[in-house]
């Protein structure tokens, strides 16, 4: 007699594909992940779960946020702590920076100096958890993940129905960025 295969429940051998640990060798990030895994498990606050999920993201999924984007999204009168799981960068086009409290993984030197000069406060995520364990009165922000580099990914530039941008500066004359086409008379 022959044996049939295993009767799998609906979904079959599908496994969770979410990250459970960080791939970076950065000790500070590893300690933050360890802390937030504990907090997400032991508290019923959704804030910890969101921060943990964003900490587990790769660096490309944590794009930098400029000061101008922070000011656009959050009004300074609200007196809320702005939390960013990523880097905060300076925007030189911005003339005035209002007083605000910003918490992030990293700050560029210019961004840190401008926020502090305006009378604001700069803190890391572990300092925020000591000051405000439940994450109340905070605003979570993140930058759009669509980057310039992503416009070059995909099918070759010039291929049929390709929306991919070539790396070459000129679009019309450069034949090196186009795929080789077969003529009808060649076989």
């Amino acid at each position: 007699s022959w044996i049939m295969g295993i009767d799998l429940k609906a979904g079959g051998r599908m496994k969770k594909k979410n990250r459970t640990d960080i791939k970076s060798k950065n000790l500070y990030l590893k300690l933050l992940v360890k802390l937030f895994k504990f907090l997400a498990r032991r508290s019923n606050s959704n804030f910890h779960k969101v921060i943990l999920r964003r900490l587990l993201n790769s660096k490309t999924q944590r794009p930098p946020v400029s000061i101008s984007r922070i000011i656009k999204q959050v009004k300074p009168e609200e007196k809320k702590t702005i939390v960013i799981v990523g880097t905060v960068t300076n925007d030189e086009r911005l003339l005035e920076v209002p007083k605000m409290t910003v918490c992030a993984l990293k700050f560029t030197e210019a961004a840190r100096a401008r926020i502090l000069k305006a009378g604001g406060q700069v803190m890391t995520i572990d300092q925020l958890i000591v000051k405000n364990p439940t994450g109340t009165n905070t605003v979570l922000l993140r930058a759009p993940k669509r980057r310039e580099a992503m416009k070059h990914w995909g099918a070759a530039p010039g291929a049929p129905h390709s929306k991919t941008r070539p790396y070459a500066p000129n679009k019309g004359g450069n034949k090196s960025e186009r795929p080789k086409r077969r003529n009808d008379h060649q076989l």
Side-chain angles (χ1 to χ4, degrees):
S1 72
W2 55 279
I3 299 169
M4 289 179 63
I6 302 164
D7 187 16
L8 298 171
K9 297 255 191 282
R13 297 181 194 276
M14 293 297 289
K15 295 205 169 43
K16 283 188 179 177
K17 292 187 173 80
N18 299 341
R19 277 190 180 190
T20 54
D21 203 10
I22 195 161
K23 293 194 177 186
S24 171
K25 291 183 174 75
N26 186 340
L27 287 175
Y28 174 66
L29 281 176
K30 282 186 183 254
L31 283 169
L32 273 180
V33 167
K34 197 173 182 181
L35 170 70
F36 276 95
K37 273 186 178 177
F38 174 80
L39 290 171
R41 190 176 68 243
R42 295 291 291 268
S43 71
N44 55 7
S45 172
N46 200 33
F47 174 77
H48 299 126
K49 290 177 182 133
V50 173
I51 296 278
L52 175 64
R53 195 175 66 238
R54 291 186 188 181
L55 279 170
L56 292 174
N57 280 345
S58 63
K59 196 170 180 184
T60 54
Q61 295 295 320
R62 288 187 275 121
V65 181
S66 69
I67 294 178
S68 58
R69 180 170 286 276
I70 294 170
I71 293 166
K72 265 186 217 169
Q73 297 292 329
V74 181
K75 291 169 180 58
E77 306 90 49
E78 291 180 7
K79 303 285 184 217
K80 290 192 174 186
T81 305
I82 298 133
V83 182
I84 294 150
V85 183
T87 310
V88 175
T89 56
N90 185 28
D91 193 351
E92 293 173 355
R93 299 168 296 181
L94 202 63
L95 298 173
E96 288 181 20
V97 177
K99 182 179 176 182
M100 56 187 171
T101 307
V102 185
C103 166
L105 279 179
K106 284 197 286 188
F107 292 88
T108 60
E109 286 180 26
R112 182 185 297 270
R114 284 191 79 179
I115 293 168
L116 291 173
K117 189 179 177 186
Q121 195 178 358
V122 175
M123 64 176 83
T124 55
I125 293 177
D126 54 320
Q127 289 171 334
L128 173 77
I129 289 302
V130 170
K131 185 180 169 187
N132 184 0
T134 55
T136 53
N137 206 26
T138 57
V139 179
L140 273 163
L141 285 185
R142 59 183 165 184
K145 290 175 185 167
R146 186 87 178 129
R147 299 179 297 135
E148 169 63 31
M150 294 174 81
K151 293 176 183 173
H152 300 286
W153 301 347
H161 309 294
S162 169
K163 302 251 190 306
T164 312
R165 285 191 183 174
Y167 285 106
N170 60 339
K171 293 174 187 164
N174 193 352
K175 299 258 186 337
S176 65
E177 293 281 340
R178 292 197 186 142
K180 191 173 180 181
R181 304 257 177 141
R182 292 180 85 180
N183 294 333
D184 294 337
H185 64 276
Q186 292 177 342
L187 293 174

